[in-house]
Amino acid sequence: MNHTAEAPEVWDPAFADADGCLLASDRCVIHRQHHFVRGLIEIPVIGREEVFSWGVWVSLSRENYSRAVDLWDTPGREGEAPYFGWLTTELPVYPSMTLDLKTNVHTRAVGQLPFVELEPTDHPLAVEQRTGITPDRVREIATAVLHPDGERQ
């Protein structure tokens, strides 16, 4: 019921040892200029009480990233206003690119990843977030993610 991207789309493994670069489980910085947090795009599953979630990366402004990091371990941080960001995870199960979709990143209680709300557009991912997906669609996504070359094992 969850698929998580390991890093923002623009991350290169060569950055791992570079000055001013960091890739942690929930935060990323590239050359002290590009700042990212990991969050969840949650999609209701129709007829079920559970949700499917995409673990994605969102770029934030330097100011919003600094604020989010300053509050990372602060109780009550969920009262923070959402941060504007750009989706930096490509989800190839959609017919059009997901990179650079507009988002609002909602901080949640300490220990929980932020909720990533997509701008309400006609992009299929945004539509799914608003309207939900069927259990069959969950299986379709799982098959595509686990077997990206189309072959079952």
Side-chain angles (χ1 to χ4, degrees), residues 67-68 71 76-83 105-107:
R67 176 89 178 145
L71 297 174
R77 70 181 192 162
E78 61 273 18
E80 185 76 358
Y83 306 120
V105 178
H106 298 265
T107 306

Side-chain angles (χ1 to χ4, degrees), residues 50-67:
E50 54 194 340
V51 298
F52 175 84
S53 61
W54 289 108
V56 297
W57 292 86
V58 177
S59 67
L60 299 179
S61 69
R62 179 185 310 249
E63 296 77 19
N64 285 343
Y65 177 82
S66 293
R67 176 89 178 145

Side-chain angles (χ1 to χ4, degrees), residues 18-39:
D19 190 40
C21 293
L22 162 78
L23 177 60
S25 63
D26 50 15
R27 292 174 273 179
C28 179
V29 177
I30 299 176
H31 302 303
R32 292 190 188 90
Q33 295 178 1
H34 307 284
H35 305 85
F36 310 88
V37 295
R38 188 165 62 92

Side-chain angles (χ1 to χ4, degrees), residues 76-142:
R77 70 181 192 162
E78 61 273 18
E80 185 76 358
Y83 306 120
F84 173 80
W86 297 95
L87 188 61
T88 57
T89 300
E90 179 58 32
L91 301 172
V93 302
Y94 294 96
S96 51
M97 289 186 65
T98 57
L99 287 177
D100 296 328
L101 292 176
K102 294 179 181 179
T103 70
N104 279 306
V105 178
H106 298 265
T107 306
R108 296 197 262 202
V110 172
Q112 293 183 18
L113 288 174
F115 170 69
V116 177
E117 175 190 23
L118 294 165
E119 178 183 45
T121 65
D122 62 354
H123 189 283
L125 177 58
V127 171
E128 286 183 347
Q129 188 177 43
R130 287 193 311 275
T131 63
I133 58 176
T134 65
D136 284 344
R137 175 67 174 143
V138 172
R139 284 188 285 282
E140 178 185 311
I141 290 170

